[in-house]
């Protein structure tokens, strides 16, 4: 047999041995060196096994439901001018679309976090490798994740640091990258990322750090916010000198990086040389001060108009636009505080203890509630004094009695009144007496009334209004009060004291009801919300309330003119008169009030000036005591049982003095 043929014949392997290893026909160490065919076969087998394992793991890992925290959003309330009033909820987050996020924010984040975002498969192999090495070494898993992976961690997984979570993140990111567009992933990432100071998402961050919505951020501000994604605890400039230095360095780096990867020109970069200092860090937005009272009133209106429940509102995600004017709210709060500080001294006068104030300001033209004062602080006293019932309105109710008489009483005018016998004289002089002799004609006899209805309202004469209520019928008085806007359930029992103000309407409702007098007899239900959305969809039910006629225009004008005289009379008795009488803000003044003869446990002033009708109430409420305390002695001798104090608050608010 030829030698060449003999060489090509391989020796048979022993029975049961399928792999020539150790290799036969080799000696020494060569027996243990695999052939190239064995190396290739082993490599292919290994790749096959890994591919199978990968496919099996890919198939077994599903995209889970979003975690609860990722779905939570704050409900945001806005002032009448559109600026943010407060974000309420467990999470300060307001989701926005990419259309409301500037391109510079997208560029800054991609340059800082994942420059291959638009071309990668959603995962970082180096990040996984670092996690594996760290796990073997017993350390924490490392960063370096893609934007997609960070979004998956924020939205679908916990913040747990473990290799298991890292591998799940890897496979979910792969699947998500195949299922969602890059735009959807980037939008989700920007809405779920933590920026520090309690802010989740770019919208909350923009408001928290710069006081503006995200769409108004400039490239310098977006670079600063993007730097926070590396770790807000270390890069928030307000965290100390070290933080500030790190923030400035990273801000510069992010701007420079955008130039390097073609997202910004050198000329554009040159425009940003000054670090965009954010606002000072403050405590997280809360419902303290007047904010809680404003939200309370808005929520009550929302439930009434939309049918939403407290549980619905607790889900969050709503955008609520209110009628509240920030400057007016602050001015009203300053007025209350200044009068309390100047005229009340609980340490020296026990009568000044437990004094509470409530106030509300309404625009007569349409019923918009522009300001309220609900108490010193919504956190320490949740009961809203501006919208509470239970405080008797006293003599401030008498204008409704007069309006009912002018509207329904046959021939009754402001000059009508009662004579000494208690008889109502509608058109004095009324009686005549004949003269003796043929052809003699009757001679008018002047009938004297004790006081006209005009003077009775100015002087707050109790007896006259008790008689007037009985004359026209208490039911007519009640109907007038309801037509003016008072809730029927807040009205007292129809007895002889009813015309004197035993009813207990809220300050909001009293301000609205008085607006009928200054608005020619028409009024609209008070409203506090102009519009509301959730997830971009409009919540129905927030059109302006339709104006309604409460009384004839002539009746309203007669009452309002009389209230003008009454208000100036009240001012003239008070020590503030000299300082306030020249104010242009009081040119159209009219107002009703309780006075020193009132024996109700409250003090009120409701006045109209500068296109607003504002009601101020004061009462004493000791915690744990079911009934209000008396007002005798409150504010000292010149305060007329405390009745001068609501007037002083009102005038300070109306004039800004």
């Amino acid at each position: 047999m030829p030698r060449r043929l003999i060489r090509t014949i391989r020796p048979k392997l022993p029975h049961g041995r399928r792999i020539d290893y150790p290799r036969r026909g080799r000696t020494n160490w060569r027996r243990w060196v695999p052939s190239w065919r064995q190396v290739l076969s082993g490599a292919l087998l290994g790749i096959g096994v890994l591919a199978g394992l990968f496919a099996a793991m890919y198939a077994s890992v599903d995209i889970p439901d979003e975690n609860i925290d990722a779905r939570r959003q704050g409900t945001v309330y806005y002032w009448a001018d559109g600026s943010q009033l407060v974000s309420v909820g467990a999470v300060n987050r307001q989701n926005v679309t990419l259309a409301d996020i500037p391109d510079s924010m997208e560029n800054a984040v991609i340059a800082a976090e994942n420059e291959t975002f638009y071309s990668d498969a959603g995962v970082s192999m180096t990040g996984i490798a670092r996690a594996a090495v760290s796990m073997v070494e017993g350390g924490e898993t490392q960063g370096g994740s893609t934007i997609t992976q960070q979004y998956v961690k924020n939205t679908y997984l916990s913040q747990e640091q473990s290799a298991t979570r890292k591998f799940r993140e890897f496979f979910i990111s792969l699947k998500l990258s195949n299922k969602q567009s890059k735009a959807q992933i980037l939008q989700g990432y920007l809405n779920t990322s933590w920026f520090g100071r309690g802010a989740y998402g770019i919208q909350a961050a923009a408001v928290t750090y710069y006081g503006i919505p995200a769409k108004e951020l400039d490239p310098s501000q977006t670079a600063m916010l993007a730097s926070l994604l590396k770790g807000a605890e270390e890069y928030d400039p307000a965290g100390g000198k070290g933080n500030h230095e790190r923030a400035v360095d990273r801000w510069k780096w992010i701007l420079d990086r955008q130039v390097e990867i073609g997202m910004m020109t050198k000329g554009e970069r040159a425009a940003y040389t000054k670090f965009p200092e954010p606002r000072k860090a403050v405590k997280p937005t809360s419902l303290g001060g007047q904010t809680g009272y404003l939200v309370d009133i808005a929520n009550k209106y929302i439930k009434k108009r939309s049918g939403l429940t407290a549980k619905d509102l607790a889900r969050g995600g709503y955008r609520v636009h209110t009628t509240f004017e920030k400057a007016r709210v602050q001015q009203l709060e300053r007025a209350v505080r200044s009068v309390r500080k100047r005229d009340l001294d609980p340490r020296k006068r026990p009568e000044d203890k437990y004094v509470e104030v409530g106030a509300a300001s309404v625009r007569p033209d349409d019923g918009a509630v522009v300001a309220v004062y609900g108490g010193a602080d919504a956190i320490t006293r949740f009961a809203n004094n501006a919208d509470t019932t239970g405080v008797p309105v006293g003599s401030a109710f008498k204008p409704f009695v007069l309006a009912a008489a002018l509207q329904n009483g046959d021939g009754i005018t402001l000059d009508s009144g009662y004579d000494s016998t208690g008889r109502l004289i509608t058109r004095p002089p009324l009686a005549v007496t004949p003269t003796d002799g043929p052809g003699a004609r009757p001679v008018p006899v002047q009938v004297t009334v004790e006081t006209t209805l005009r003077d009775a309202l100015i002087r707050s004469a109790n007896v006259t209004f008790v008689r007037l209520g009985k004359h026209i019928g208490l039911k007519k008085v009640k109907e007038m009060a309801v037509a003016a806007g008072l809730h029927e359930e807040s009205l007292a029992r129809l007895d002889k004291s009813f015309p004197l103000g035993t009813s207990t309407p809220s300050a909001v409702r009293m301000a609205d009801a008085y607006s009928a007098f200054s608005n020619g007899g028409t009024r609209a239900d008070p409203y506090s919300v102009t519009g509301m959305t959730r997830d971009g969809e409009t919540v129905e039910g927030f059109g302006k309330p339709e104006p309604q006629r409460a009384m004839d225009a002539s009746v309203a004008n007669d009452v309002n003119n009389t209230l003008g005289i009454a208000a100036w009379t009240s001012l003239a008795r008070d020590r503030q008169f000299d300082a306030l009488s020249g104010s242009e803000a009081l040119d159209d003044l009219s107002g009703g009030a309780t006075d020193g003869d009132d024996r109700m446990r409250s003090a009120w002033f409701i006045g109209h000036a500068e296109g607003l009708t504002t009601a101020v109430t004061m009462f004493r409420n000791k915690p744990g005591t079911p009934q209000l305390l008396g007002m005798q002695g409150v504010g000292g001798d010149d305060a007329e049982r405390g009745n001068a104090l609501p007037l002083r608050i009102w005038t300070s608010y109306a004039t800004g003095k």
Side-chain angles (χ1 to χ4, degrees), residues 190-226:
L190 289 172
N191 279 322
T192 56
S193 293
W194 166 250
F195 286 86
R197 299 194 188 181
Y200 284 88
I202 185 58
Q203 179 74 358
V207 173
T208 299
Y209 285 89
Y210 291 108
I212 57 176
K215 61 184 177 182
E216 295 181 13
L217 293 168
D218 64 36
S220 183
Q221 293 167 331
T222 57
M224 200 294 291
L225 292 177

mmCIF file of all heavy atoms in Angstrom, residues 190-226:
data_model
loop_
_atom_site.group_PDB
_atom_site.id
_atom_site.type_symbol
_atom_site.label_atom_id
_atom_site.label_comp_id
_atom_site.label_asym_id
_atom_site.label_seq_id
_atom_site.Cartn_x
_atom_site.Cartn_y
_atom_site.Cartn_z
ATOM 1 N N LEU A 190 -37.485 61.734 30.582
ATOM 2 C CA LEU A 190 -37.473 63.105 31.087
ATOM 3 C C LEU A 190 -38.614 63.363 32.062
ATOM 4 O O LEU A 190 -38.541 64.277 32.886
ATOM 5 C CB LEU A 190 -37.540 64.093 29.922
ATOM 6 C CG LEU A 190 -36.265 64.185 29.076
ATOM 7 C CD1 LEU A 190 -36.501 65.040 27.838
ATOM 8 C CD2 LEU A 190 -35.106 64.749 29.893
ATOM 9 N N ASN A 191 -39.676 62.583 31.991
ATOM 10 C CA ASN A 191 -40.802 62.754 32.906
ATOM 11 C C ASN A 191 -40.662 61.945 34.192
ATOM 12 O O ASN A 191 -41.437 62.148 35.131
ATOM 13 C CB ASN A 191 -42.115 62.368 32.217
ATOM 14 C CG ASN A 191 -42.659 63.467 31.328
ATOM 15 O OD1 ASN A 191 -42.569 64.643 31.665
ATOM 16 N ND2 ASN A 191 -43.212 63.095 30.193
ATOM 17 N N THR A 192 -39.713 61.017 34.250
ATOM 18 C CA THR A 192 -39.591 60.159 35.436
ATOM 19 C C THR A 192 -38.286 60.352 36.195
ATOM 20 O O THR A 192 -38.126 59.796 37.281
ATOM 21 C CB THR A 192 -39.699 58.671 35.036
ATOM 22 O OG1 THR A 192 -38.704 58.373 34.048
ATOM 23 C CG2 THR A 192 -41.074 58.343 34.476
ATOM 24 N N SER A 193 -37.371 61.138 35.657
ATOM 25 C CA SER A 193 -36.067 61.288 36.294
ATOM 26 C C SER A 193 -36.135 62.178 37.536
ATOM 27 O O SER A 193 -36.946 63.108 37.620
ATOM 28 C CB SER A 193 -35.058 61.869 35.294
ATOM 29 O OG SER A 193 -34.805 60.949 34.259
ATOM 30 N N TRP A 194 -35.258 61.871 38.464
ATOM 31 C CA TRP A 194 -35.168 62.627 39.718
ATOM 32 C C TRP A 194 -34.183 63.770 39.543
ATOM 33 O O TRP A 194 -33.039 63.579 39.168
ATOM 34 C CB TRP A 194 -34.710 61.689 40.822
ATOM 35 C CG TRP A 194 -34.257 62.331 42.101
ATOM 36 C CD1 TRP A 194 -32.984 62.397 42.584
ATOM 37 C CD2 TRP A 194 -35.072 62.980 43.078
ATOM 38 N NE1 TRP A 194 -32.944 63.033 43.793
ATOM 39 C CE2 TRP A 194 -34.221 63.411 44.121
ATOM 40 C CE3 TRP A 194 -36.431 63.242 43.173
ATOM 41 C CZ2 TRP A 194 -34.683 64.079 45.234
ATOM 42 C CZ3 TRP A 194 -36.901 63.915 44.294
ATOM 43 C CH2 TRP A 194 -36.033 64.314 45.307
ATOM 44 N N PHE A 195 -34.631 65.007 39.834
ATOM 45 C CA PHE A 195 -33.796 66.190 39.681
ATOM 46 C C PHE A 195 -33.463 66.832 41.026
ATOM 47 O O PHE A 195 -32.859 67.899 41.066
ATOM 48 C CB PHE A 195 -34.486 67.224 38.794
ATOM 49 C CG PHE A 195 -34.503 66.866 37.331
ATOM 50 C CD1 PHE A 195 -35.512 66.073 36.814
ATOM 51 C CD2 PHE A 195 -33.514 67.326 36.477
ATOM 52 C CE1 PHE A 195 -35.532 65.741 35.462
ATOM 53 C CE2 PHE A 195 -33.525 67.009 35.125
ATOM 54 C CZ PHE A 195 -34.538 66.204 34.617
ATOM 55 N N GLY A 196 -33.857 66.206 42.115
ATOM 56 C CA GLY A 196 -33.586 66.797 43.420
ATOM 57 C C GLY A 196 -34.645 67.805 43.820
ATOM 58 O O GLY A 196 -35.547 68.145 43.055
ATOM 59 N N ARG A 197 -34.553 68.286 45.057
ATOM 60 C CA ARG A 197 -35.498 69.252 45.628
ATOM 61 C C ARG A 197 -36.945 68.773 45.512
ATOM 62 O O ARG A 197 -37.874 69.569 45.370
ATOM 63 C CB ARG A 197 -35.362 70.625 44.962
ATOM 64 C CG ARG A 197 -33.998 71.263 45.125
ATOM 65 C CD ARG A 197 -34.032 72.736 44.743
ATOM 66 N NE ARG A 197 -32.699 73.326 44.712
ATOM 67 C CZ ARG A 197 -32.464 74.606 44.423
ATOM 68 N NH1 ARG A 197 -33.473 75.427 44.160
ATOM 69 N NH2 ARG A 197 -31.232 75.064 44.407
ATOM 70 N N GLY A 198 -37.149 67.466 45.562
ATOM 71 C CA GLY A 198 -38.496 66.916 45.511
ATOM 72 C C GLY A 198 -39.104 66.868 44.133
ATOM 73 O O GLY A 198 -40.288 66.533 43.994
ATOM 74 N N ALA A 199 -38.339 67.179 43.093
ATOM 75 C CA ALA A 199 -38.887 67.288 41.738
ATOM 76 C C ALA A 199 -38.603 66.038 40.912
ATOM 77 O O ALA A 199 -37.453 65.678 40.697
ATOM 78 C CB ALA A 199 -38.306 68.517 41.037
ATOM 79 N N TYR A 200 -39.654 65.404 40.447
ATOM 80 C CA TYR A 200 -39.555 64.313 39.487
ATOM 81 C C TYR A 200 -39.986 64.846 38.132
ATOM 82 O O TYR A 200 -41.077 65.412 37.992
ATOM 83 C CB TYR A 200 -40.469 63.149 39.875
ATOM 84 C CG TYR A 200 -39.963 62.302 41.009
ATOM 85 C CD1 TYR A 200 -40.253 62.629 42.323
ATOM 86 C CD2 TYR A 200 -39.211 61.166 40.772
ATOM 87 C CE1 TYR A 200 -39.805 61.848 43.379
ATOM 88 C CE2 TYR A 200 -38.748 60.372 41.814
ATOM 89 C CZ TYR A 200 -39.053 60.723 43.109
ATOM 90 O OH TYR A 200 -38.608 59.946 44.144
ATOM 91 N N GLY A 201 -39.153 64.639 37.112
ATOM 92 C CA GLY A 201 -39.515 65.071 35.766
ATOM 93 C C GLY A 201 -39.084 66.492 35.484
ATOM 94 O O GLY A 201 -38.931 67.332 36.381
ATOM 95 N N ILE A 202 -38.891 66.779 34.197
ATOM 96 C CA ILE A 202 -38.342 68.060 33.783
ATOM 97 C C ILE A 202 -39.281 69.226 34.064
ATOM 98 O O ILE A 202 -38.831 70.331 34.368
ATOM 99 C CB ILE A 202 -37.958 68.006 32.276
ATOM 100 C CG1 ILE A 202 -37.282 69.297 31.857
ATOM 101 C CG2 ILE A 202 -39.161 67.690 31.410
ATOM 102 C CD1 ILE A 202 -36.024 69.633 32.654
ATOM 103 N N GLN A 203 -40.599 69.008 33.978
ATOM 104 C CA GLN A 203 -41.527 70.117 34.227
ATOM 105 C C GLN A 203 -41.434 70.581 35.673
ATOM 106 O O GLN A 203 -41.324 71.774 35.951
ATOM 107 C CB GLN A 203 -42.952 69.689 33.881
ATOM 108 C CG GLN A 203 -44.011 70.764 34.136
ATOM 109 C CD GLN A 203 -43.990 71.882 33.123
ATOM 110 O OE1 GLN A 203 -43.158 71.901 32.216
ATOM 111 N NE2 GLN A 203 -44.894 72.823 33.260
ATOM 112 N N ALA A 204 -41.486 69.629 36.604
ATOM 113 C CA ALA A 204 -41.367 69.989 38.022
ATOM 114 C C ALA A 204 -40.001 70.595 38.310
ATOM 115 O O ALA A 204 -39.882 71.533 39.110
ATOM 116 C CB ALA A 204 -41.594 68.752 38.895
ATOM 117 N N ALA A 205 -38.950 70.080 37.667
ATOM 118 C CA ALA A 205 -37.607 70.609 37.883
ATOM 119 C C ALA A 205 -37.489 72.046 37.405
ATOM 120 O O ALA A 205 -36.883 72.893 38.071
ATOM 121 C CB ALA A 205 -36.578 69.734 37.171
ATOM 122 N N ALA A 206 -38.064 72.339 36.236
ATOM 123 C CA ALA A 206 -37.997 73.699 35.696
ATOM 124 C C ALA A 206 -38.664 74.697 36.628
ATOM 125 O O ALA A 206 -38.145 75.793 36.881
ATOM 126 C CB ALA A 206 -38.655 73.738 34.314
ATOM 127 N N VAL A 207 -39.808 74.300 37.177
ATOM 128 C CA VAL A 207 -40.528 75.186 38.103
ATOM 129 C C VAL A 207 -39.765 75.313 39.416
ATOM 130 O O VAL A 207 -39.629 76.402 39.979
ATOM 131 C CB VAL A 207 -41.953 74.653 38.348
ATOM 132 C CG1 VAL A 207 -42.638 75.463 39.446
ATOM 133 C CG2 VAL A 207 -42.768 74.704 37.064
ATOM 134 N N THR A 208 -39.240 74.194 39.916
ATOM 135 C CA THR A 208 -38.550 74.189 41.204
ATOM 136 C C THR A 208 -37.268 75.019 41.168
ATOM 137 O O THR A 208 -36.985 75.786 42.089
ATOM 138 C CB THR A 208 -38.219 72.746 41.618
ATOM 139 O OG1 THR A 208 -39.442 72.014 41.755
ATOM 140 C CG2 THR A 208 -37.457 72.720 42.937
ATOM 141 N N TYR A 209 -36.472 74.863 40.113
ATOM 142 C CA TYR A 209 -35.166 75.521 40.056
ATOM 143 C C TYR A 209 -35.209 76.914 39.429
ATOM 144 O O TYR A 209 -34.406 77.779 39.789
ATOM 145 C CB TYR A 209 -34.172 74.645 39.288
ATOM 146 C CG TYR A 209 -33.676 73.460 40.078
ATOM 147 C CD1 TYR A 209 -34.361 72.248 40.055
ATOM 148 C CD2 TYR A 209 -32.535 73.548 40.868
ATOM 149 C CE1 TYR A 209 -33.914 71.147 40.786
ATOM 150 C CE2 TYR A 209 -32.082 72.463 41.604
ATOM 151 C CZ TYR A 209 -32.780 71.272 41.566
ATOM 152 O OH TYR A 209 -32.342 70.201 42.288
ATOM 153 N N TYR A 210 -36.140 77.129 38.477
ATOM 154 C CA TYR A 210 -36.136 78.420 37.772
ATOM 155 C C TYR A 210 -37.488 79.132 37.760
ATOM 156 O O TYR A 210 -37.593 80.237 37.239
ATOM 157 C CB TYR A 210 -35.633 78.224 36.333
ATOM 158 C CG TYR A 210 -34.165 77.864 36.278
ATOM 159 C CD1 TYR A 210 -33.750 76.582 35.942
ATOM 160 C CD2 TYR A 210 -33.177 78.801 36.602
ATOM 161 C CE1 TYR A 210 -32.404 76.241 35.919
ATOM 162 C CE2 TYR A 210 -31.837 78.477 36.580
ATOM 163 C CZ TYR A 210 -31.453 77.197 36.238
ATOM 164 O OH TYR A 210 -30.121 76.874 36.223
ATOM 165 N N GLY A 211 -38.512 78.496 38.312
ATOM 166 C CA GLY A 211 -39.807 79.150 38.404
ATOM 167 C C GLY A 211 -40.516 79.347 37.077
ATOM 168 O O GLY A 211 -41.365 80.226 36.949
ATOM 169 N N ILE A 212 -40.181 78.540 36.079
ATOM 170 C CA ILE A 212 -40.796 78.654 34.755
ATOM 171 C C ILE A 212 -41.142 77.259 34.251
ATOM 172 O O ILE A 212 -40.581 76.271 34.712
ATOM 173 C CB ILE A 212 -39.860 79.346 33.741
ATOM 174 C CG1 ILE A 212 -38.521 78.576 33.635
ATOM 175 C CG2 ILE A 212 -39.618 80.800 34.126
ATOM 176 C CD1 ILE A 212 -37.570 79.138 32.596
ATOM 177 N N PRO A 213 -42.081 77.145 33.300
ATOM 178 C CA PRO A 213 -42.350 75.832 32.716
ATOM 179 C C PRO A 213 -41.180 75.367 31.866
ATOM 180 O O PRO A 213 -40.361 76.171 31.402
ATOM 181 C CB PRO A 213 -43.603 76.068 31.867
ATOM 182 C CG PRO A 213 -43.604 77.530 31.578
ATOM 183 C CD PRO A 213 -42.972 78.190 32.764
ATOM 184 N N ALA A 214 -41.096 74.077 31.624
ATOM 185 C CA ALA A 214 -39.964 73.493 30.904
ATOM 186 C C ALA A 214 -39.775 74.111 29.527
ATOM 187 O O ALA A 214 -38.641 74.305 29.077
ATOM 188 C CB ALA A 214 -40.153 71.974 30.783
ATOM 189 N N LYS A 215 -40.865 74.432 28.845
ATOM 190 C CA LYS A 215 -40.750 74.923 27.471
ATOM 191 C C LYS A 215 -40.050 76.277 27.379
ATOM 192 O O LYS A 215 -39.632 76.696 26.302
ATOM 193 C CB LYS A 215 -42.128 75.003 26.818
ATOM 194 C CG LYS A 215 -43.103 75.941 27.502
ATOM 195 C CD LYS A 215 -44.472 75.882 26.827
ATOM 196 C CE LYS A 215 -45.491 76.759 27.534
ATOM 197 N NZ LYS A 215 -46.830 76.651 26.887
ATOM 198 N N GLU A 216 -39.913 76.986 28.521
ATOM 199 C CA GLU A 216 -39.271 78.299 28.517
ATOM 200 C C GLU A 216 -37.795 78.242 28.905
ATOM 201 O O GLU A 216 -37.120 79.271 28.954
ATOM 202 C CB GLU A 216 -40.022 79.245 29.460
ATOM 203 C CG GLU A 216 -41.453 79.550 29.012
ATOM 204 C CD GLU A 216 -42.162 80.499 29.956
ATOM 205 O OE1 GLU A 216 -41.489 81.115 30.814
ATOM 206 O OE2 GLU A 216 -43.397 80.632 29.848
ATOM 207 N N LEU A 217 -37.269 77.054 29.172
ATOM 208 C CA LEU A 217 -35.855 76.921 29.558
ATOM 209 C C LEU A 217 -34.945 77.263 28.380
ATOM 210 O O LEU A 217 -35.252 76.943 27.230
ATOM 211 C CB LEU A 217 -35.565 75.492 30.010
ATOM 212 C CG LEU A 217 -36.231 75.027 31.317
ATOM 213 C CD1 LEU A 217 -36.090 73.526 31.461
ATOM 214 C CD2 LEU A 217 -35.634 75.752 32.527
ATOM 215 N N ASP A 218 -33.807 77.903 28.674
ATOM 216 C CA ASP A 218 -32.833 78.171 27.614
ATOM 217 C C ASP A 218 -31.719 77.119 27.685
ATOM 218 O O ASP A 218 -31.644 76.340 28.642
ATOM 219 C CB ASP A 218 -32.274 79.599 27.723
ATOM 220 C CG ASP A 218 -31.479 79.850 29.005
ATOM 221 O OD1 ASP A 218 -30.779 78.920 29.474
ATOM 222 O OD2 ASP A 218 -31.548 80.977 29.545
ATOM 223 N N PRO A 219 -30.827 77.044 26.673
ATOM 224 C CA PRO A 219 -29.796 76.003 26.647
ATOM 225 C C PRO A 219 -28.866 76.000 27.853
ATOM 226 O O PRO A 219 -28.371 74.943 28.250
ATOM 227 C CB PRO A 219 -29.027 76.311 25.358
ATOM 228 C CG PRO A 219 -30.047 76.944 24.467
ATOM 229 C CD PRO A 219 -30.879 77.791 25.386
ATOM 230 N N SER A 220 -28.638 77.170 28.443
ATOM 231 C CA SER A 220 -27.785 77.222 29.628
ATOM 232 C C SER A 220 -28.481 76.574 30.816
ATOM 233 O O SER A 220 -27.877 75.804 31.566
ATOM 234 C CB SER A 220 -27.429 78.681 29.947
ATOM 235 O OG SER A 220 -26.559 78.758 31.048
ATOM 236 N N GLN A 221 -29.763 76.866 30.983
ATOM 237 C CA GLN A 221 -30.522 76.287 32.083
ATOM 238 C C GLN A 221 -30.702 74.778 31.903
ATOM 239 O O GLN A 221 -30.618 74.012 32.866
ATOM 240 C CB GLN A 221 -31.884 76.978 32.188
ATOM 241 C CG GLN A 221 -31.787 78.435 32.612
ATOM 242 C CD GLN A 221 -33.095 79.190 32.403
ATOM 243 O OE1 GLN A 221 -33.881 78.867 31.507
ATOM 244 N NE2 GLN A 221 -33.334 80.195 33.220
ATOM 245 N N THR A 222 -30.923 74.338 30.663
ATOM 246 C CA THR A 222 -31.096 72.899 30.447
ATOM 247 C C THR A 222 -29.800 72.140 30.724
ATOM 248 O O THR A 222 -29.832 71.014 31.221
ATOM 249 C CB THR A 222 -31.577 72.613 29.008
ATOM 250 O OG1 THR A 222 -30.656 73.170 28.066
ATOM 251 C CG2 THR A 222 -32.958 73.192 28.770
ATOM 252 N N ALA A 223 -28.655 72.759 30.425
ATOM 253 C CA ALA A 223 -27.376 72.114 30.731
ATOM 254 C C ALA A 223 -27.209 71.967 32.236
ATOM 255 O O ALA A 223 -26.705 70.941 32.726
ATOM 256 C CB ALA A 223 -26.227 72.912 30.137
ATOM 257 N N MET A 224 -27.620 72.965 33.004
ATOM 258 C CA MET A 224 -27.529 72.872 34.462
ATOM 259 C C MET A 224 -28.448 71.769 34.986
ATOM 260 O O MET A 224 -28.046 70.940 35.817
ATOM 261 C CB MET A 224 -27.903 74.215 35.105
ATOM 262 C CG MET A 224 -27.384 74.378 36.539
ATOM 263 S SD MET A 224 -28.079 73.282 37.810
ATOM 264 C CE MET A 224 -29.751 73.910 37.915
ATOM 265 N N LEU A 225 -29.685 71.716 34.485
ATOM 266 C CA LEU A 225 -30.610 70.687 34.941
ATOM 267 C C LEU A 225 -30.123 69.288 34.542
ATOM 268 O O LEU A 225 -30.288 68.332 35.304
ATOM 269 C CB LEU A 225 -32.012 70.950 34.382
ATOM 270 C CG LEU A 225 -32.720 72.207 34.924
ATOM 271 C CD1 LEU A 225 -34.073 72.398 34.249
ATOM 272 C CD2 LEU A 225 -32.900 72.120 36.442
ATOM 273 N N ALA A 226 -29.528 69.176 33.353
ATOM 274 C CA ALA A 226 -29.001 67.876 32.922
ATOM 275 C C ALA A 226 -27.874 67.406 33.838
ATOM 276 O O ALA A 226 -27.688 66.201 34.050
ATOM 277 C CB ALA A 226 -28.508 67.952 31.479
#
